[in-house]
Amino acid sequence: GDSVTQTEGPVTVSESESLIINCTYSATSIAYPNLFWYVRYPGEGLQLLLKVITAGQKGSSRGFEATYNKETTSFHLQKASVQESDSAVYYCALGLITGNTGKLIFGLGTTLQVQP
Amino acid sequence: AQTIHQWPVAEIKAVGSPLSLGCTIKGKSSPNLYWYWQATGGTLQQLFYSITVGQVESVVQLNLSASRPKDDQFILSTEKLLLSHSGFYLCAWRGQENSDYTFGSGTRLLVI
């Protein structure tokens, strides 16, 4: 079936350190799914961080980047130097977008805690 | 600009009591609307979607129901809550076929 597996949290890093949150997916109902990273800051709703719809491409936003790797079915989230304000829950998601009735398949979410 | 508003922000309800959660989208006509839910320790999963007023499709059976009484309103409800209904509920909308989802701030529900 369609599923997403991501790094189990919480992940704790110090400010200015690098970060990688792993995400791998299985897509059986669609050959080329759209891939997303969403973020939920404390007390806020879910926000789109970045997305990539073409295999081999890289998406980036707010210093974060992720590359759509179809060979390894991965979409790892990376940042070279994290800030305390990056503390949040990060969700990798697979987009099964079939017209109006598409849906997102989410991973469990990874809580990131950045220590000052 | 489009806005999405969910209510209430949080609820504590007794088992067997009724529930109604709401979601309103402003600034967008005929949006596709969705309800997602995350149980504690679980993943976000789609519960319902609606592409037009009065039409709602169920994706996961959880003894919940949804309705779309107006173009800009999506309601999630049940007459009898179960402990397993606890979790985080998110409403979302999409516009045209390739547009992104926009999520509300969510409602945190605790059933005791």
Side-chain angles (χ1 to χ4, degrees), chain B residues 6-22 35 37 47-48 62-67 75-89 107-111:
Chain B
Q6 271 189 256
W7 74 92
V9 172
E11 280 260 54
I12 300 176
K13 304 277 282 187
V15 170
S17 63
L19 173 77
S20 181
L21 304 181
W35 278 110
W37 168 71
L47 299 179
F48 298 94
L62 278 182
N63 293 310
L64 294 168
S65 60
S67 64
I75 307 296
L76 184 71
S77 61
T78 182
E79 292 185 0
K80 286 188 177 181
L81 277 165
L82 306 173
L83 285 173
S84 57
H85 286 139
S86 293
F88 188 62
Y89 291 82
T107 296
R108 192 162 296 282
L109 173 68
L110 177 62
V111 182

Side-chain angles (χ1 to χ4, degrees), chain B residues 59-103:
Chain B
V59 178
V60 174
Q61 291 299 326
L62 278 182
N63 293 310
L64 294 168
S65 60
S67 64
R68 187 169 177 178
K70 300 178 186 177
D71 186 52
D72 63 353
Q73 197 173 74
F74 206 19
I75 307 296
L76 184 71
S77 61
T78 182
E79 292 185 0
K80 286 188 177 181
L81 277 165
L82 306 173
L83 285 173
S84 57
H85 286 139
S86 293
F88 188 62
Y89 291 82
L90 277 170
C91 179
W93 71 270
R94 281 180 69 214
Q96 296 168 5
E97 186 171 316
N98 292 319
S99 70
D100 294 327
Y101 289 81
T102 299
F103 288 87

Side-chain angles (χ1 to χ4, degrees), chain A residues 17-76:
Chain A
E17 285 188 347
S18 63
L19 169 75
I20 181 166
I21 299 176
N22 290 326
C23 172
T24 56
Y25 67 90
S26 170
T28 57
S29 60
I30 188 169
Y32 292 92
N34 298 338
L35 297 177
F36 303 83
W37 277 101
Y38 282 86
V39 59
R40 183 153 64 98
Y41 297 102
E44 298 184 19
L46 207 60
Q47 301 175 25
L48 178 64
L49 178 60
L50 59 86
K51 72 171 184 180
V52 179
I53 63 173
T54 304
Q57 297 297 309
K58 179 168 70 177
S60 59
S61 173
R62 309 181 208 174
F64 289 90
E65 57 182 37
T67 299
Y68 186 159
N69 190 321
K70 184 166 170 59
E71 286 69 38
T72 59
T73 63
S74 65
F75 193 53
H76 307 318

